[in-house]
């Protein structure tokens, strides 16, 4: 069934959505998938937005787009699960290259990244959405498809688990070799 005829206002609204939120959606997708896959995913997100433009509420566009991106990332991961098990992405710049010459900020960044890497994916996703991507509690709840109260409980538990891991970290953090931290490290420099 072909799309309904679109008005100039619809095209302008989609263009405005892309200009306002395209970069944030790309950063989110890039953190989870890497460059080329992220570009494809952003294109898919805005195709979905085009098709469902009439259902996107004014003022709620950003969490709606993140929710679509999250669903597409999960779909992408499921479709590539067997390949992902065979690939280990290098993340050499997540740790300082020479610990004796690293700044305190670089050392702390490596420790935070190592602690994040050890968290379950759901906790890491929640903490990054709430604090890295600066989504509000209600926006994060919308993206994760849960109530604000449920989100608050999950966030409390995720923060507690992160704090526990971070407080009991070793002197030289060693992130998991199966996780890619390059995307997380990119913006923390």
């Amino acid at each position: 069934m072909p799309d309904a005829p679109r008005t100039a206002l619809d095209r302008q609204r989609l263009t405005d959505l892309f200009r306002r939120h395209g970069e944030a959606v790309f950063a989110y997708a890039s953190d989870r998938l890497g460059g080329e896959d992220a570009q494809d995913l952003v294109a898919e997100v805005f195709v979905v937005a085009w098709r469902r433009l009439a259902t996107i509420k004014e003022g709620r566009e950003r969490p709606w787009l993140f929710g679509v991106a999250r669903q597409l990332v999960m779909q992408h991961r499921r479709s590539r699960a067997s390949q992902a098990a065979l690939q280990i992405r290098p993340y050499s710049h997540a740790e300082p290259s020479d610990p004796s010459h690293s700044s305190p900020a670089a050392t702390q960044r490596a420790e935070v990244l190592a602690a994040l890497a050890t968290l379950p994916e759901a906790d890491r996703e929640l903490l990054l959405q709430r604090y890295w991507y600066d989504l509000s509690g209600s926006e994060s709840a919308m993206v994760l498809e849960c109530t604000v109260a449920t989100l608050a409980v999950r966030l409390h538990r995720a923060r507690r688990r992160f704090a526990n891991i971070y407080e009991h970290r070793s002197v030289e953090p060693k992130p998991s070799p199966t996780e890619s931290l390059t995307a997380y490290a990119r913006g923390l420099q």
Side-chain angles (χ1 to χ4, degrees):
M1 181 172 171
D3 288 334
R6 300 296 181 155
T7 66
L9 289 174
D10 289 339
R11 288 189 294 275
Q12 185 59 48
R13 182 172 182 216
L14 185 70
T15 300
D16 292 343
L17 282 176
F18 184 78
R19 286 184 181 146
R20 282 194 322 255
H21 306 294
E23 203 171 296
V25 172
F26 177 76
Y28 176 82
S30 182
D31 284 351
R32 276 129 191 93
L33 301 177
E36 285 184 32
D37 288 338
Q39 291 174 352
D40 292 341
L41 187 121
V42 171
E44 288 180 56
V45 167
F46 283 93
V47 165
V48 172
W50 177 247
R51 289 183 183 142
R52 306 222 20 232
L53 195 59
T55 65
I56 304 172
K57 295 179 183 176
E58 292 288 331
R60 307 294 290 166
E61 296 95 343
R62 188 169 189 241
W64 188 91
L65 292 167
F66 269 76
V68 171
R70 179 176 177 266
Q71 294 296 322
L72 291 173
V73 164
M74 290 187 320
Q75 179 182 356
H76 179 82
R77 285 183 176 169
R78 281 189 299 267
S79 70
R80 297 199 179 206
S82 61
Q83 292 175 358
L86 301 174
Q87 296 177 357
I88 297 176
R89 292 182 178 176
Y91 50 88
S92 59
H93 62 277
E95 293 185 51
S97 57
D98 183 2
S100 64
H101 292 93
S102 66
S103 70
T107 302
Q108 184 181 20
R109 179 177 59 245
E111 292 169 351
V112 168
L113 292 173
L116 277 172
T118 61
L119 286 173
E121 177 65 26
D123 287 350
R124 187 172 42 248
E125 175 82 12
L126 178 56
L127 291 170
L128 290 172
Q129 274 188 25
R130 186 67 181 93
Y131 300 112
W132 182 260
Y133 297 108
D134 200 28
L135 292 173
S136 70
S138 62
E139 290 173 332
S140 292
M142 186 178 184
V143 171
L144 296 172
E145 299 175 335
C146 65
T147 66
V148 175
T150 300
L151 179 101
V153 170
R154 288 180 186 170
L155 185 60
H156 172 74
R157 291 176 181 163
R159 283 192 307 235
R160 190 176 60 212
R161 282 188 281 267
F162 175 81
N164 186 41
I165 290 168
Y166 188 74
E167 289 170 5
H168 295 96
R169 67 193 179 279
S170 62
V171 175
E172 295 196 26
K174 300 289 183 201
S176 165
T178 60
E179 292 289 326
S180 171
L181 296 177
T182 56
Y184 300 129
R186 191 169 29 94
L188 295 174
Q189 299 178 18

